[in-house]
């Protein structure tokens, strides 16, 4: 992702955030209109109330003494105030109920949209980003809408209405009152807008450092065992301490500016109030204003100041929310690395023939992994890929699954170019048993069911038995309802592997990829699943990345990969007779390869 100038990010991103939020908010027009109408009704009642307080004071002051007529007039004014207050109470309750409905629906829509977009990103995207940071960005993006909507509908819109209403009423009493209040308001908002935009760049810096600190913390927590085993506590503490100190400094700057701006705000409000009262005294002396007008002025000033006193904090929350949402919007606007072709067709696999035809692939300009790589795997043929680390074995399987797009050539299954088929249908046709299986923090039943989510209980248990994990599951107190922990940490490596194999058995895809499927198993566990793998591979096209001889012996053909190219192929016996790289791999990895 290209890095744009900071100022361009701020302005452009704010508009982009508003555009995305409005797209989702506008799906509920009647609810939004109801909120706005209730806000107008609430502020209208709050603007009318001071006029009746003025009448109440003027009536009482003008009366020569208590009388039935004066009492009647005062009770009528009191009833009017009660009616206005009731309207304000009802409007506030309606606004709150509608906002609950409006915000909850839009936030739910935003969460689903971000989830869907994230899950469509490529394998490379997730290896380049911390999971904790992505989760944080999603949560902050969804929460940002609530904050922005609250500040606009609960603060900014009411503030505009109360100021407009107060100016209108006071100007009718005397234009000098309206001019004096207008000057104070212009100074206040002008200063806050300029100061807020100036402070925004420091809020962006604070937010970026906050995200970096969160990512660093999540990375350390996720690797806590490695930190202990390699005595890395002091090293990691120093790394975290460095970014944490930068975060502290950025907070000091941002929060210090907040206090400075608040001080100037207070001075402007104080000056405006004194000026208004001074003008009021002059006009009263001329007989233009009454005693009740001083109550009117003070009530309006109190109402306006209670609103605009929050203005800097409102701007702060808005800018923070825009910065928070902007982090996620950058991801939403990041083009998907791998997309379905226009009018992509469903991949139909009847035989399971796989063909790599002059395939070229590079992770970046200086690292070409495969160049003019060609390999054909016959239907239901079992092929093992062997070679040293970095030879390109895993890359070949990832390209088959289209975790990356190739730079040249064609990969096809049963003569169908996989780049022109839908990714979903490709993944449905291939079952993968990875070297390090990762399970959901769900029950064992749910993890196995992920292979075919509509499978019956009988099929789940049958798959578990074939993978030899039914035995240890049955011994657990909650059996198949046992939660496995995050990424399956409550299970041993061998148990996780067997659950992954059960999931693949249940999927029953025509093509099977084994990425060192027995590497996490001890000898006893490996013996338990060798016949399960044999059954799993039957009638399937199989590509196995293998280091163990026990796995290779199941294969029809062994492909030796070196530097992204095929340097030898054949059976185990024929390759031994040829010597070369295969023989060297046997000798180097004698302890593991031949186990």
């Amino acid at each position: 992702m290209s890095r744009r100038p900071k100022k361009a990010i701020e302005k452009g991103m704010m508009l982009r955030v508003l555009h995305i939020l409005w797209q989702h908010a506008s799906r509920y027009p009647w609810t939004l209109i109801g909120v706005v109408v209730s806000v107008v009704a609430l502020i209208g009642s709050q603007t009318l109330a001071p006029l009746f307080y003025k009448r109440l004071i003027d009536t009482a002051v003008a009366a020569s003494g208590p009388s039935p007529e004066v009492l009647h007039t005062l009770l009528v004014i009191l009833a009017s105030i009660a009616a206005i207050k009731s309207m304000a109470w009802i409007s506030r309750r309606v606004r709150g109920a509608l906002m609950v409905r409006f915000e909850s629906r839009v936030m739910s829509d935003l969460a689903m949209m971000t989830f869907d977009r994230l899950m469509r990103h490529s394998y490379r995207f997730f290896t380049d980003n911390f999971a904790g940071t992505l989760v944080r960005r999603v949560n902050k993006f969804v929460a940002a809408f609530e904050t922005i909507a609250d500040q606009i509908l609960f603060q900014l819109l009411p503030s505009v209405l109360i100021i407009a209403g107060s100016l209108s009423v006071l100007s009718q009493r005397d234009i000098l009152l309206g001019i004096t209040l207008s000057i104070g308001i212009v100074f206040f908002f002008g200063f806050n807008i300029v100061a807020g935009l100036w402070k925004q760049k420091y809020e962006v810096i604070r937010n970026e450092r906050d995200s970096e600190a969160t990512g660093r913390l999540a990375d350390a927590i996720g690797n806590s065992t490695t930190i202990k085993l390699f005595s890395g506590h002091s090293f990691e503490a120093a790394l975290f301490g460095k970014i944490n100190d930068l975060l502290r400094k950025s907070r000091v700057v941002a929060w210090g500016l907040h206090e400075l701006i608040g001080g100037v705000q207070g001075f402007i409000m104080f000056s405006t109030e004194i000026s208004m009262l001074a003008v009021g005294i002059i006009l009263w002396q001329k007989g233009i204003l009454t005693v009740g007008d001083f109550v009117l002025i003070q009530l309006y000033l109190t109402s306006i100041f209670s609103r605009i006193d929050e203005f800097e904090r409102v701007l702060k929350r808005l800018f923070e929310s825009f910065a928070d949402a902007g982090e996620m919007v950058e991801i939403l606007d990041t083009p998907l690395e791998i997309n379905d072709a226009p009018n992509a067709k469903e991949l139909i696999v009847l035989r399971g023939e796989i063909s790599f035809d002059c395939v070229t692939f590079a992770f970046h300009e200086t690292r070409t992994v495969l160049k003019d790589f060609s390999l054909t795997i016959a239907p239901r043929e079992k092929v093992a890929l062997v070679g040293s680390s970095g030879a390109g074995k895993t890359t070949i399987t990832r390209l088959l699954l289209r975790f990356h797009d190739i730079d040249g050539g064609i990969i096809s299954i049963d003569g169908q170019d996989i780049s022109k088929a839908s990714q979903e249908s490709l993944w449905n046709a291939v079952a993968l048993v990875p070297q390090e299986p990762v399970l959901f923090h769900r029950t064992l039943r749910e993890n196995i069911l992920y292979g075919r989510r509509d499978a019956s209980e009988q099929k789940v248990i049958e798959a578990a038995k074939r993978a030899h994990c039914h035995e240890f599951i049955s011994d657990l107190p909650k059996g198949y309802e046992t939660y496995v922990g995050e990424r399956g940490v409550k299970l041993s490596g061998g148990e996780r592997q067997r659950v992954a194999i059960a999931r693949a058995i249940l999927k029953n895809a025509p093509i099977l990829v084994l990425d060192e499927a027995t590497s996490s198993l001890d000898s006893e566990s490996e013996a338990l699943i060798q016949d399960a793998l044999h059954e799993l591979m039957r009638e399937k096209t199989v590509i196995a990345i293998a280091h163990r001889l026990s796995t290779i012996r199941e294969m029809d053909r062994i492909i030796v990969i070196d530097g992204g190219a095929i340097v030898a192929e054949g059976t185990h016996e024929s390759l031994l007779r040829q010597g070369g790289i295969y023989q060297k791999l046997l000798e180097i990895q004698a302890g593991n390869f031949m186990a």
Side-chain angles (χ1 to χ4, degrees):
M1 191 188 314
S2 63
R3 198 99 176 138
R4 292 170 291 170
K6 187 69 71 177
K7 195 167 282 190
I9 290 176
E10 291 174 16
K11 294 178 180 178
M13 187 56 70
M14 188 178 296
L15 293 175
R16 180 64 180 141
V17 169
L18 281 173
H19 176 70
I20 292 176
L21 296 184
W22 175 247
Q23 279 184 321
H24 292 269
S26 60
R27 295 177 182 176
Y28 307 98
W30 293 112
T31 306
L32 183 56
I33 290 171
V35 171
V36 173
V37 170
S38 63
V39 170
V40 172
L42 173 61
I43 300 305
S45 64
Q46 291 177 346
T47 304
L48 284 174
L51 287 169
F52 285 89
Y53 283 114
K54 165 186 157 48
R55 287 183 57 190
L56 187 71
I57 298 299
D58 285 341
T59 300
V61 171
S64 57
S67 68
E69 292 78 9
V70 172
L71 179 61
H72 178 266
T73 302
L74 292 176
L75 289 176
V76 169
I77 295 172
L78 183 62
S80 299
I81 293 173
I84 291 171
K85 292 288 185 180
S86 297
M87 185 174 72
W89 182 85
I90 292 171
S91 299
R92 186 176 280 109
R93 302 285 76 78
V94 171
R95 180 189 65 174
L98 291 175
M99 281 295 283
V100 168
R101 175 185 176 89
F102 174 64
E103 288 186 348
S104 62
R105 290 191 173 190
V106 176
M107 290 170 72
S108 178
D109 291 348
L110 290 170
M112 287 304 303
M113 182 267 291
T114 52
F115 176 86
D116 180 71
R117 181 68 177 183
L118 272 179
M119 291 300 103
R120 292 181 185 277
H121 274 288
S122 66
Y123 172 85
R124 193 201 308 262
F125 172 84
F126 290 101
T127 59
D128 289 344
N129 289 278
F130 289 125
T133 300
L134 292 176
V135 170
R136 181 173 179 272
R137 287 187 176 192
V138 171
N139 290 337
K140 287 172 70 175
F141 176 67
V142 175
F145 171 77
E146 180 185 13
T147 302
I148 292 171
D150 282 351
Q151 299 311 307
I152 291 175
L153 296 173
F154 284 1
Q155 297 291 340
L156 293 182
L157 178 60
S159 296
V160 170
L161 293 175
I162 197 71
I163 290 171
S166 300
L167 279 172
S168 175
V169 172
L170 290 175
S171 295
Q172 290 177 22
R173 295 300 299 145
D174 192 277
I175 192 63
L176 191 57
L177 288 174
I179 292 173
T180 305
L181 181 57
S182 297
I183 291 172
I185 290 172
V186 168
F187 268 107
F188 181 87
F189 284 107
F191 167 76
N192 275 278
I193 290 171
V194 172
L197 292 173
W198 171 54
K199 190 168 74 91
Q200 170 64 358
K201 61 183 178 182
Y202 298 103
E203 292 290 354
V204 171
I205 293 171
R206 179 202 59 78
N207 202 66
E208 288 176 347
R209 289 176 178 173
D210 191 14
S211 295
E212 188 177 350
T214 301
R216 179 73 64 185
L217 180 61
D219 190 37
I221 291 173
N223 289 279
S224 58
T225 301
T226 303
I227 292 172
K228 293 179 186 298
L229 291 175
F230 287 88
S231 304
H233 177 84
S234 297
F235 177 74
E236 293 297 326
L239 288 177
F240 182 73
K242 184 177 180 181
I243 183 59
N244 195 45
D245 189 55
L246 289 173
L247 176 58
R248 177 190 63 79
K249 291 177 180 177
S250 62
R251 282 172 175 162
V252 168
V253 172
W255 295 348
L257 289 174
H258 169 71
E259 291 301 318
L260 175 62
I261 292 170
V264 177
Q265 277 184 327
F267 177 76
I268 295 174
M269 288 190 291
F270 159 75
S271 301
T272 302
E273 182 176 10
I274 296 301
S275 299
M276 288 290 293
L277 292 175
V279 171
I281 291 172
I282 294 171
L283 295 175
W284 172 79
Q285 191 176 25
K286 293 180 177 180
I288 298 174
L289 299 186
T290 66
V291 174
D293 283 312
F294 283 95
V295 175
L296 182 72
I297 291 170
Q298 196 58 43
L299 286 175
Y300 279 148
L301 286 177
T302 301
S303 181
I304 291 172
F305 288 165
S306 67
R307 290 284 180 185
I308 66 176
D309 185 47
E310 286 287 317
F311 186 70
E312 197 276 333
R313 282 181 284 273
V314 169
L315 281 183
K316 180 176 181 292
R317 295 185 194 110
L318 281 172
F319 283 135
E320 285 180 347
S321 297
F322 279 120
D324 289 345
E327 289 186 327
M328 188 65 223
V329 170
E330 285 184 350
I331 293 177
L332 294 176
D333 287 345
T334 299
L336 298 179
E337 184 181 0
I338 299 175
N339 289 288
D340 281 347
N343 303 315
K345 298 179 179 179
E346 294 291 301
L347 184 70
I348 300 173
V349 181
L350 300 176
R351 300 185 307 129
E353 181 184 62
I354 301 171
S355 175
F356 290 77
D357 185 11
C358 297
V359 171
T360 298
F361 173 74
F363 283 112
H364 45 74
E365 293 181 0
T366 59
R367 188 187 173 195
T368 299
V369 182
L370 301 177
K371 186 173 183 180
D372 295 330
F373 178 86
S374 295
L375 172 65
T376 298
I377 301 173
R380 298 179 177 83
E381 183 182 14
K382 281 71 176 169
V383 170
L385 303 180
V386 301
S388 58
S389 178
K393 307 183 298 298
T394 300
T395 299
I396 291 169
T397 61
R398 287 176 180 168
L399 294 178
L400 175 64
L401 289 162
R402 211 180 163 208
F403 285 175
H404 306 286
D405 270 340
I406 58 179
D407 299 316
I410 295 175
I411 301 174
S412 60
I413 297 177
D414 282 353
Q416 303 162 83
D417 186 345
I418 65 170
S419 68
K420 296 179 180 178
S422 70
Q423 296 175 73
E424 195 79 18
S425 64
L426 169 64
W427 297 330
N428 284 335
V430 182
L432 170 68
V433 181
Q435 182 176 2
E436 294 293 338
V438 177
L439 305 181
F440 292 99
H441 179 35
R442 301 173 190 174
T443 65
L444 283 160
R445 172 183 283 102
E446 289 175 296
N447 273 286
I448 296 173
L449 264 174
Y450 219 76
R452 195 170 83 231
R453 286 175 284 279
D454 60 349
S456 65
E457 180 77 5
Q458 181 182 353
K459 292 291 186 182
V460 171
I461 294 175
E462 179 184 338
K465 287 180 177 179
R466 290 176 61 189
H468 291 282
C469 58
H470 177 74
E471 295 84 352
F472 82 80
I473 293 175
S474 299
D475 290 338
L476 296 171
K478 294 185 179 180
Y480 284 85
E481 300 305 317
T482 302
Y483 279 82
V484 302
E486 188 176 4
R487 302 174 69 87
V489 295
K490 293 184 179 180
L491 304 180
S492 69
E495 289 169 342
R496 286 198 301 273
Q497 194 67 276
R498 280 181 274 171
V499 171
I501 291 173
R503 186 162 59 191
I505 290 173
L506 191 62
K507 184 175 183 179
N508 195 31
I511 297 172
L512 177 65
V513 176
L514 303 175
D515 187 355
E516 273 305 324
T518 60
S519 65
S520 298
L521 305 177
D522 52 40
S523 297
E524 181 180 357
S525 298
E526 183 182 2
L528 285 174
I529 69 165
Q530 277 303 325
D531 67 344
L533 283 175
H534 183 77
E535 289 296 320
L536 176 61
M537 291 188 294
R538 181 173 295 174
E539 300 301 315
K540 291 179 173 58
T541 303
V542 179
I543 299 177
I545 298 174
H547 287 159
R548 293 196 178 194
L549 187 58
S550 56
T551 303
I552 290 175
R553 280 173 174 162
E554 296 283 339
M555 302 296 112
D556 300 322
R557 183 164 47 127
I558 301 168
I559 308 293
V560 183
I561 308 292
D562 185 49
I566 298 174
V567 294
E569 58 180 298
T571 62
H572 173 62
E573 290 75 15
S574 66
L575 288 173
L576 280 179
R577 288 194 295 270
Q578 294 176 29
I581 292 178
Y582 188 72
Q583 179 67 46
K584 290 179 181 178
L585 288 171
L586 284 176
E587 294 170 355
I588 293 171
Q589 302 183 23
N592 296 318
F593 184 85
M594 300 187 67

